[in-house]
Amino acid sequence: MERGNRIIYNQDGKIILQTGETTGDVSGHDTITELHYLDVEYGSIDYNKQHIESINPITKELVLKDIPVILTDEQKRLKALEEELSMLKEENKNRDSEIVNTAFEVVNMKLNNNI
């Protein structure tokens, strides 16, 4: 099927949107009986994580859909390594403070004994 370009324009003739021409497995344009608009505040949606699926015509609210995060094998391995490192840091937190305390004691002893 071939579908022509649909142009949406404002009251002054300024073009707001063009669909462009297309061919192949596409459906025709929907019949428009009313046009509405909704202004979305800048920065209110993280378009890397979500996209606008539609607008609820009754409530005039956005219907957002999460974009699935598909990790590469490298990203999965990196995430596993980061989690392992975090666990090791947590396990060794007490040990690190013991090392610092011991080092502090050694320095104090040297200072107090003029070594």
Side-chain angles (χ1 to χ4, degrees):
M1 175 182 185
E2 294 177 340
R3 185 178 71 195
N5 187 14
R6 176 173 279 174
I7 301 171
I8 298 176
Y9 58 95
N10 71 5
Q11 64 280 356
D12 300 322
K14 179 180 175 187
I15 294 174
I16 305 298
L17 174 77
Q18 293 187 54
T19 63
E21 293 182 344
T22 188
T23 185
D25 187 18
V26 295
S27 55
H29 290 295
D30 293 331
T31 301
I32 297 175
T33 58
E34 291 181 36
L35 271 179
H36 303 271
Y37 71 92
L38 181 65
D39 292 327
V40 179
E41 186 177 329
Y42 180 84
S44 64
I45 299 172
D46 185 345
Y47 291 99
N48 293 316
K49 296 180 180 179
Q50 295 179 311
H51 70 90
I52 301 170
E53 186 171 59
S54 63
I55 298 172
N56 183 319
I58 297 168
T59 64
K60 310 293 188 232
E61 293 176 332
L62 299 174
V63 177
L64 300 174
K65 186 169 183 181
D66 290 338
I67 298 171
V69 178
I70 301 171
L71 299 177
T72 64
D73 289 340
E74 288 176 346
Q75 289 171 320
K76 290 176 188 174
R77 177 72 178 135
L78 179 60
K79 186 175 181 179
L81 288 171
E82 287 173 338
E83 289 171 0
E84 186 178 339
L85 179 61
S86 179
M87 287 189 310
L88 288 170
K89 283 181 179 178
E90 188 63 33
E91 289 173 7
N92 289 314
K93 188 187 329 182
N94 293 334
R95 185 170 165 242
D96 289 345
S97 63
E98 289 173 16
I99 292 169
V100 169
N101 287 338
T102 303
F104 184 71
E105 286 179 36
V106 168
V107 169
N108 274 339
M109 287 178 72
K110 285 182 177 182
L111 289 174
N112 290 336
N113 294 317
N114 294 322
I115 300 176

